[in-house]
Amino acid sequence: MKPAIGLLAALAASIGGAAAFDVNCNSNYASYYGQNSARNQKALGEYCKDATEDVIVLAFMNGFPNILLNFANACETTFEGSSLLHCPDMAKDIKYCQSQGKAVILSMGGASGAYGFSGDSDAIAFADTVWNMFFKGKAEQRPFDDAVLDGIDLDIEGGSGAGYPAFINQLRTHFASDSSKKYYIAAAPQCPFPDSYLGTTLNSAWFDMVYVQFYNNYCGVNAYPTWFNFGDWDNWAKTKSINKDVKVFIGVPGSPSAASSGYVDGATLTSIYNSVRSKYSSLGGIMTWDCAIFNLDVYLDLNLYKLGTVQHNQYFHHHHTQGCNGQKFAICNSGSWYTGSCPPGTSCYLNGNAAVCDWPNGRSTDACAVSGGGAALSKRQDFAKVSLITRPNLRPKPANAKGSRPTRVEFVAGDIVDNKYSMVVKIQSNKSAFTGNWSIAFTLPDGQTVDSTSRGAASTGDKSVTIKSDPSSEEAKNMAAIFKITGTFTGNYALPDT
């Protein structure tokens, strides 16, 4: 088990090679890669050179069952005579990341693209295709050549929910045919519960991890503790999920510019993480969007307990041996023993080739067994009250836009403080890209005003609102536009109906 840097007061000591990803622990760190959000995205392998990452999610397969892949500048070459990406450099990096104990999974969906299944038969056939192209099957064209991924993530933000349970079941049948490695199924729902697109699938198919997007919504980490609803997802994990050991991650933006709302600083995130960890045993760790925009020095506290002098974003690589005895630890470093005690309230545990100072609450006995004196760690009962924030008038509202091209619009509640609100507007093309010269008009509920927009310019009349882009600051072609609106309201806040 490896703590996410700055999110735990913890110590990690690796012996020999890299420790493999352990899905059962609650301090895992996952992040998305491939969309070059900060325009400085490095090669995939660069993000696997230290112990920060546990899971890297490749984003995205944003078109299916007619496959369309988009990893921005990480891969721009295609197979000859085809539009399918061929990514030999990423293939080498995938293998390198896996050799460092990372799990690398492929995300399907995203905020833009053309995807979805017509029904179960369509989904089952596509599961066979995915197995052959990205896992242990065989296909003439494999985007990552002979590299074998570790799983699939569903980031479904549009279309219908048809076929996804059948897709997962068929893919897991393939996974079961290969005993040489562990495969994972993940999902990335938005925090309003239940999720608008994956709600039914989450209740009827197996998931190992759920990366809940606690941002761009009223229930994000920035709304902690009033509206933050991890309790709803913990309750789902324990009472509704097919896999009662599913792990729920706190999904956050990696910097203020990574999302329209939901960013909090490192100290605040650390406090929220520690609170969730003490209450909810379903916690799996932290997820961030995304690798390119994540600012480690700014975002994290870096309150990792250190042994001697170590780089702030590294773990401690000590060779030969280590040991635990209650709160005490001992590590052999280049022929010399270093001994010490864990911070107050924590104890030393062994997990595979790692010695870890960690809190006992919410720990999985099987995955992170106690060492020393034959002591046994009993699983705690979680009596934390479930928040059950399920305000129907605050759930995301999708609508098909009426206009010159097939477009989908979604309104998502953001911050709600006193009589002020913020709302995220997501525009997604269902087919071809739209130009930088666009506009959207909609009707506000009674008692609401619009004061500002983070993209383009807003004009209002009675209850109507029109947002018109500034073409000089837009890309020439867009599959999606996401921006934030702020304003005031009277009475009960509600999202626009259209």
Side-chain angles (χ1 to χ4, degrees):
M1 180 170 115
K2 306 186 300 300
I5 299 176
L7 303 180
L8 308 177
L11 169 154
S14 297
I15 309 302
F21 165 62
D22 184 351
V23 72
N24 295 302
C25 291
N26 60 9
S27 57
N28 286 312
Y29 179 74
S31 59
Y32 281 75
Y33 171 87
Q35 290 303 290
N36 195 21
S37 299
R39 300 295 187 265
N40 62 355
Q41 180 172 270
K42 302 175 184 177
L44 174 61
E46 293 296 315
Y47 299 97
C48 298
K49 289 185 175 179
D50 61 37
T52 304
E53 311 285 351
D54 293 296
V55 184
I56 292 184
V57 189
L58 304 180
F60 289 104
M61 181 197 290
N62 60 336
F64 60 84
N66 296 319
I67 293 181
L68 178 64
L69 299 172
N70 186 326
F71 305 115
N73 64 322
C75 178
E76 298 177 293
T77 57
T78 62
F79 287 100
E80 186 176 355
S82 170
S83 61
L84 181 65
L85 288 182
H86 181 210
C87 313
D89 290 336
M90 285 185 69
K92 294 175 184 176
D93 284 346
I94 289 168
K95 292 179 181 180
Y96 170 72
C97 291
Q98 291 169 331
S99 75
Q100 299 304 300
K102 323 296 184 185
V104 183
I105 66 178
L106 175 62
S107 185
M108 297 169 51
S112 64
Y115 55 81
F117 301 120
S118 59
D120 286 356
S121 60
D122 190 25
I124 290 170
F126 189 66
D128 296 338
T129 299
V130 168
W131 171 255
N132 290 330
M133 292 182 66
F134 298 99
F135 297 101
K136 274 291 186 72
K138 295 182 179 180
E140 288 187 9
Q141 295 180 333
R142 288 175 55 92
F144 303 128
D145 294 332
D146 61 347
V148 178
L149 296 179
D150 297 295
I152 283 290
D153 166 60
L154 297 180
D155 181 11
I156 307 305
E157 301 184 34
S160 75
Y164 291 109
F167 169 80
I168 293 171
N169 291 339
Q170 180 69 2
L171 196 56
R172 292 190 73 237
T173 298
H174 287 299
F175 288 169
S177 70
D178 177 20
S179 60
S180 67
K181 65 181 297 180
K182 170 70 175 176
Y183 294 100
Y184 305 98
I185 301 290
Q190 297 181 57
C191 61
F193 185 87
D195 184 77
S196 299
Y197 307 107
L198 284 172
T200 300
T201 301
L202 287 168
N203 290 341
S204 55
W206 179 281
F207 287 91
D208 298 287
M209 298 171 282
V210 175
Y211 309 130
V212 181
Q213 298 179 47
F214 287 104
Y215 52 93
N216 286 344
N217 276 293
Y218 69 93
C219 43
V221 288
N222 56 314
Y224 177 88
T226 307
W227 292 99
F228 179 68
N229 69 333
F230 191 96
D232 292 342
W233 290 97
D234 178 80
N235 185 58
W236 164 81
K238 295 170 181 174
T239 64
K240 300 293 185 182
S241 174
I242 300 297
N243 175 17
K244 295 300 187 289
D245 293 320
V246 63
K247 289 298 182 180
V248 181
F249 285 60
I250 303 172
V252 295
S255 76
S257 62
S260 294
S261 69
Y263 173 80
V264 295
D265 61 32
T268 302
L269 180 59
T270 299
S271 177
I272 294 171
Y273 173 86
N274 290 341
S275 175
V276 170
R277 182 174 180 149
S278 70
K279 296 176 183 177
Y280 303 116
S281 57
S282 66
L283 177 66
I286 298 290
M287 175 276 282
T288 60
W289 175 270
D290 65 352
C291 283
I293 206 166
F294 179 60
N295 190 328
L296 182 68
D297 293 313
V298 173
Y299 198 59
L300 298 183
D301 268 4
L302 310 178
N303 62 353
L304 184 67
Y305 283 83
K306 294 178 172 62
L307 292 179
T309 302
V310 184
Q311 293 294 323
H312 72 257
N313 63 343
Q314 301 288 330
Y315 288 112
F316 315 102
H317 299 280
H318 300 276
H319 298 283
H320 305 310
T321 189
Q322 90 293 317
C324 290
N325 186 1
Q327 196 175 12
K328 298 181 181 300
F329 59 83
I331 296 172
C332 183
N333 180 18
S334 302
S336 300
W337 281 96
Y338 182 94
T339 61
S341 296
C342 292
T346 67
S347 295
C348 182
Y349 304 105
L350 291 181
N351 179 44
N353 59 3
V356 180
C357 288
D358 199 10
W359 291 287
N361 287 347
R363 298 281 304 284
S364 168
T365 303
D366 297 332
C368 307
V370 170
S371 172
L377 178 65
S378 59
K379 294 183 179 180
R380 67 186 289 274
Q381 295 293 319
D382 192 345
F383 297 110
K385 183 178 179 181
V386 177
S387 64
L388 294 179
I389 300 175
T390 54
R391 294 271 296 273
N393 62 321
L394 296 183
R395 293 177 187 163
K397 288 188 175 181
N400 290 320
K402 299 176 180 178
S404 59
R405 69 178 65 243
T407 308
R408 184 181 167 283
V409 176
E410 183 175 11
F411 301 103
V412 183
D415 302 326
I416 303 170
V417 181
D418 298 326
N419 70 326
K420 298 179 180 179
Y421 75 91
S422 68
M423 174 178 69
V424 176
V425 182
K426 302 179 181 180
I427 307 172
Q428 174 185 324
S429 173
N430 294 337
K431 291 186 178 181
S432 58
F434 53 88
T435 69
N437 187 11
W438 55 266
S439 65
I440 177 175
F442 55 92
T443 302
L444 286 173
D446 291 337
Q448 289 190 20
T449 66
V450 169
D451 297 333
S452 69
T453 174
S454 64
R455 196 164 179 170
S459 59
T460 60
D462 192 15
K463 295 193 299 182
S464 66
V465 179
T466 299
I467 309 294
K468 183 174 177 55
S469 70
D470 175 5
S472 65
S473 62
E474 294 280 337
E475 298 289 339
K477 293 183 179 180
N478 301 270
M479 288 300 293
I482 302 176
F483 54 94
K484 181 169 69 173
I485 290 173
T486 64
T488 62
F489 67 96
T490 58
N492 292 324
Y493 176 75
L495 291 165
D497 288 322
T498 58

